[in-house]
Amino acid sequence: GDIIMENKRTKTWATIVYSESAPPNWIEILKEQHIPAFVSPKHDKDLTDDGTLKKEHYHVMLLFEGLKSVEQAKEVFEKIGGVGVELVNCTRAYARYLCHLDNPDKVQYDANEVISIAGADYTEMLNTSPNTYTIIAEIIEYCQQNDIDSYAYILLYAKNNRSDWFKVLCDSGTLLIVQFLKSKHWEEHRDDKYNRYSPLQKTDSLPMEE
């Protein structure tokens, strides 16, 4: 397994459920777990890069109250025939991804068809518009986790995948992110870059908040 993944704990985990291989009553089984969750509309129009139709599937997100390990998420996903376990870095973004809301180049699915389970509220999640500071924090976190120091890369990534990030970068966030990436690059290429007290250590090496 992925060693890094095994040590990570987060509140939000996702999986894919294929219609052909899941138990016929998998949504009922999921409801019986009493864990807040979202089930995407049936993805039956998605294409692969070469234009063939992907197998019909659903995306499922679990929104635990506290931090959970990959094993704890897997335990639930196995009951419903979920394939794979994905650690979700940004709950709001993944929730929007259930219908491809920030991916204009992909098939758009109807947000009204998302199933909200055990108190999770999809409409509320969509209507919570994060402020600029939250989005800038998300961008910084993404650059840290993925070792990005190219502004062009993050701008193109945002343009293609995250329309909310793209707006902030266009409106006001660019100067700050450019300076952050420059400085991050400089810090990482100093002779004493292995100073373990540097705040630029990847965030997952810091103590986790409970």
Side-chain angles (χ1 to χ4, degrees):
D2 180 346
I3 310 283
I4 300 169
M5 183 87 129
E6 281 166 15
N7 301 328
K8 286 206 171 180
R9 291 161 67 80
T10 185
K11 292 180 180 181
T12 314
W13 294 90
T15 192
I16 292 178
V17 173
Y18 290 97
S19 309
E20 62 181 31
S21 55
N25 61 335
W26 68 269
I27 292 180
E28 293 313 310
I29 296 171
L30 183 58
K31 287 178 178 170
E32 284 161 14
Q33 309 307 307
H34 303 294
I35 297 162
F38 294 134
V39 177
S40 76
K42 185 196 292 174
H43 281 224
D44 52 7
K45 301 181 190 71
D46 291 0
L47 301 176
T48 60
D49 291 339
D50 63 7
T52 51
L53 198 61
K54 286 187 187 175
K55 279 196 294 194
E56 188 178 286
H57 63 277
Y58 297 82
H59 293 271
V60 179
M61 274 178 90
L62 296 180
L63 307 154
F64 290 102
E65 308 278 305
L67 299 171
K68 300 290 175 194
S69 68
V70 66
E71 275 74 30
Q72 290 168 302
K74 211 179 262 178
E75 203 178 304
V76 180
F77 291 149
E78 277 169 1
K79 293 186 169 103
I80 61 171
V83 175
V85 182
E86 188 182 349
L87 180 152
V88 175
N89 286 317
C90 177
T91 304
R92 188 178 54 82
Y94 200 93
R96 294 176 62 79
Y97 177 74
L98 297 180
C99 298
H100 295 157
L101 297 177
D102 294 314
N103 304 75
D105 51 329
K106 292 189 177 174
V107 178
Q108 300 293 298
Y109 292 101
D110 185 352
N112 296 317
E113 288 177 20
V114 170
I115 300 171
S116 297
I117 293 172
D121 186 336
Y122 193 64
T123 317
E124 186 189 355
M125 180 77 76
L126 291 191
N127 292 338
T128 314
S129 63
N131 61 34
T132 303
Y133 304 114
T134 308
I135 288 185
I136 288 194
E138 284 174 11
I139 296 172
I140 288 174
E141 177 77 10
Y142 182 83
C143 293
Q144 292 278 77
Q145 297 285 3
N146 298 288
D147 284 328
I148 290 158
D149 55 12
S150 156
Y151 177 73
Y153 178 90
I154 196 70
L155 187 64
L156 289 169
Y157 174 82
K159 179 179 86 68
N160 295 329
N161 302 289
R162 294 295 304 270
S163 57
D164 52 343
W165 290 9
F166 188 64
K167 283 178 195 146
V168 166
L169 290 172
C170 290
D171 293 345
S172 56
T174 283
L175 183 64
L176 185 146
I177 295 295
V178 166
Q179 294 301 340
F180 165 72
L181 292 175
K182 260 191 206 165
S183 171
K184 173 177 181 291
H185 182 85
W186 179 80
E187 281 281 350
E188 285 165 0
H189 294 81
R190 274 166 42 177
D191 295 339
D192 60 347
K193 67 176 176 178
Y194 297 109
N195 170 1
R196 64 193 183 90
Y197 297 109
S198 166
L200 289 167
Q201 291 290 334
K202 281 206 181 164
T203 41
D204 48 359
S205 62
L206 298 174
M208 203 110 186
E209 58 187 17
E210 280 307 324

